[in-house]
Amino acid sequence: MTTIRNNWKKEEIAEIYNTPILELIYQAASVHRQFFDAQEVQVCTLLSVKTGGCPEDCSYCPQAARYHTDVKVEKLMEVKEVLGKAREAKDSGSTRFCMGAAWREVRDNRDFDKVIEMVKGVNQMGLEVCCTLGMLTPEQAKKLKDAGLYAYNHNLDTSEEFYSDIISTRTYQDRIETLENVRVAKISVCSGGIIGMGEQEKDRIGMLHTLATLPEHPESVPVNALVPVEGTPLEDQEKVSVWEMIRMIATSRIIMPKAMVRLSAGRVRMSLEEQALCFLAGANSIFAGDKLLTTPNPASIQDQEMFQILQLKPRKAFQEAHHQ
Ligand code: SAM
Ligand code: DTB
Ligand code: SF4
């Protein structure tokens, strides 16, 4: 029986990551079945409630104000409009609704008050509500929790060593502190990263090591493949091979067995067969809907067909029982 460990060594993680691929998939699939119904996949919907104009310099991000991309700066959406989108997401079978804002950090202002209203409204619909709003103080985390926030997404993105090559406007430690603030507020932690930014294998292992040695593993780990966007410093990065995505997913599954591993950005460039291998390797969550935050995602109809062909079933929301 697999035990949950928080004392992983980098060498052990590297060994898992480099296991011959079919053996690695087999091992991850076995661990997956000890902790989950492998036919169930969580379907999440993303909505960018505040798009563009971000002061940060994350090299991958089309929403950073300093890069010239096609993203138009918009102000925070109205609460009513957001709740309408959440309703649509629920009606199309999503059980988690994640609202993203292109902010460096949350400020205690009217916009935050509006986000609090959005969280309350989405929670009342019986959806698991998640936010990704940048850095949070302990007090802001508590306010979000009190409004009914279920999870908070805050990615480490890469290793501590490679971090400053990708982002200079904040530190790795800033990221870790927000994760701690989220944990203390008893909000479910969602944290993962991106591959395909020019990092080395040791950076991928370094990131997984940081996640897997946190005092408690994140409840969900998104694995994103870089979506290269014209105008960003990483616009010309080559696509990573699907085998690397599979190695990341399988390694996450093996070292953090209870986490939901989310096959996140990058699905538009993957075939059904490639995605099937990701599910076999332990991915059990996706973002559905034809847009992520600002970039394209597979059309709902395509995903419905995929669920049918692979005989997968959408996972129920945690609180569905209380909200019939
Ligand atoms: N501003 C907040 C923050 O940075 O935490 C929340 C929104 S931010 C867009 C959320 C995450 O999206 C980033 O941490 C990154 O992992 C991911 N992301 C952004 N642009 C991406 C891209 N072009 N390809 C893949 N993932 C991306
Ligand atoms: C995550 O890890 N991936 C999502 C979500 N968390 C917020 C975001 C992906 C964004 C891809 C680029 C875009 O659409 O702007
Ligand atoms: Fe801003 Fe988040 Fe994009 Fe970085 S990833 S530029 S913090 S929106």
Side-chain angles (χ1 to χ4, degrees):
M1 196 63 193
T2 308
T3 52
I4 308 295
R5 289 179 49 194
N6 299 72
N7 61 352
W8 290 99
K9 302 247 171 327
K10 277 191 189 163
E11 301 72 48
E12 292 176 295
I13 299 176
E15 200 180 317
I16 296 171
Y17 184 90
N18 286 305
T19 303
I21 190 72
L22 297 180
E23 178 61 23
L24 176 61
I25 295 172
Y26 173 74
Q27 284 180 14
S30 309
V31 172
H32 189 183
R33 279 152 185 74
Q34 288 174 37
F35 292 89
F36 291 97
D37 172 349
Q39 260 168 291
E40 268 188 8
V41 172
Q42 178 191 45
V43 180
C44 316
T45 297
L46 267 177
L47 177 68
S48 182
V49 296
K50 160 69 189 93
T51 306
C54 185
E56 299 281 72
D57 69 352
C58 313
S59 316
Y60 48 76
C61 188
Q63 302 198 69
R66 66 192 74 200
Y67 309 136
H68 299 286
T69 67
D70 281 345
V71 172
K72 299 218 166 39
V73 180
E74 281 164 41
K75 62 177 188 13
L76 184 70
M77 282 173 73
E78 291 304 328
V79 177
K80 248 179 102 178
E81 203 184 342
V82 171
L83 297 185
K85 297 277 184 194
R87 171 63 59 191
E88 280 173 30
K90 186 177 163 99
D91 290 346
S92 66
S94 240
T95 49
R96 181 182 282 214
F97 191 70
C98 180
M99 298 180 278
W103 288 334
R104 175 173 201 272
E105 76 253 299
V106 168
R107 304 248 172 99
D108 296 300
N109 56 17
R110 303 243 316 262
D111 276 359
F112 185 41
D113 298 340
K114 279 194 189 174
V115 171
I116 293 288
E117 290 311 309
M118 294 172 192
V119 169
K120 284 185 182 157
V122 177
N123 181 44
Q124 277 163 10
M125 281 178 205
L127 285 162
E128 289 180 16
V129 48
C130 171
C131 280
T132 181
L133 313 168
M135 292 182 261
L136 287 185
T137 63
E139 295 73 29
Q140 291 163 341
K142 177 157 193 319
K143 265 197 179 170
L144 285 163
K145 172 72 185 179
D146 292 344
L149 188 75
Y150 183 73
Y152 197 78
N153 167 250
H154 200 65
N155 291 340
L156 291 180
D157 283 333
T158 189
S159 67
E160 182 165 16
E161 294 75 21
F162 192 57
Y163 204 70
S164 57
D165 285 34
I166 298 296
I167 299 151
S168 77
T169 49
R170 59 168 188 258
T171 65
Y172 212 61
Q173 196 49 38
D174 290 332
R175 276 324 245 191
I176 304 238
E177 274 166 27
T178 291
L179 290 180
E180 281 170 6
N181 296 343
V182 170
R183 187 50 90 199
V184 168
K186 299 199 165 13
I187 297 168
S188 175
V189 172
C190 171
S191 187
I194 311 180
I195 65 168
M197 302 190 294
E199 73 286 343
Q200 295 176 17
E201 189 184 292
K202 66 174 194 297
D203 297 309
R204 296 179 187 169
I205 287 157
M207 179 188 85
L208 292 175
H209 179 255
T210 306
L211 291 171
T213 55
L214 288 171
E216 261 185 274
H217 294 163
E219 281 78 10
S220 53
V221 177
V223 180
N224 295 277
L226 176 76
V227 181
V229 178
E230 208 182 313
T232 62
L234 297 181
E235 63 183 359
D236 291 328
Q237 280 295 319
E238 257 177 54
K239 180 179 184 285
V240 290
S241 138
V242 68
W243 305 113
E244 297 180 57
M245 206 58 187
I246 292 170
R247 284 191 190 280
M248 282 301 283
I249 290 170
T251 308
S252 304
R253 169 57 63 226
I254 293 169
I255 65 177
M256 294 174 277
K258 281 190 177 169
M260 303 292 296
V261 178
R262 186 166 306 115
L263 170 58
S264 303
R267 284 201 304 122
V268 265
R269 296 203 281 182
M270 291 170 74
S271 68
L272 182 129
E273 292 80 357
E274 289 172 336
Q275 294 181 62
L277 281 171
C278 292
F279 297 129
L280 188 58
N284 60 351
S285 176
I286 57 165
F287 285 119
D290 48 16
K291 214 157 93 176
L292 289 164
L293 290 171
T294 65
T295 64
N297 197 43
S300 291
I301 180 85
Q302 247 174 295
D303 281 341
Q304 281 162 20
E305 201 178 288
M306 175 170 81
F307 271 61
Q308 248 179 14
I309 294 174
L310 301 180
Q311 294 171 280
L312 297 172
K313 47 186 191 205
R315 181 181 156 110
K316 290 201 168 59
F318 73 101
Q319 53 174 342
E320 203 146 65
H322 315 290
H323 288 263
Q324 291 298 343

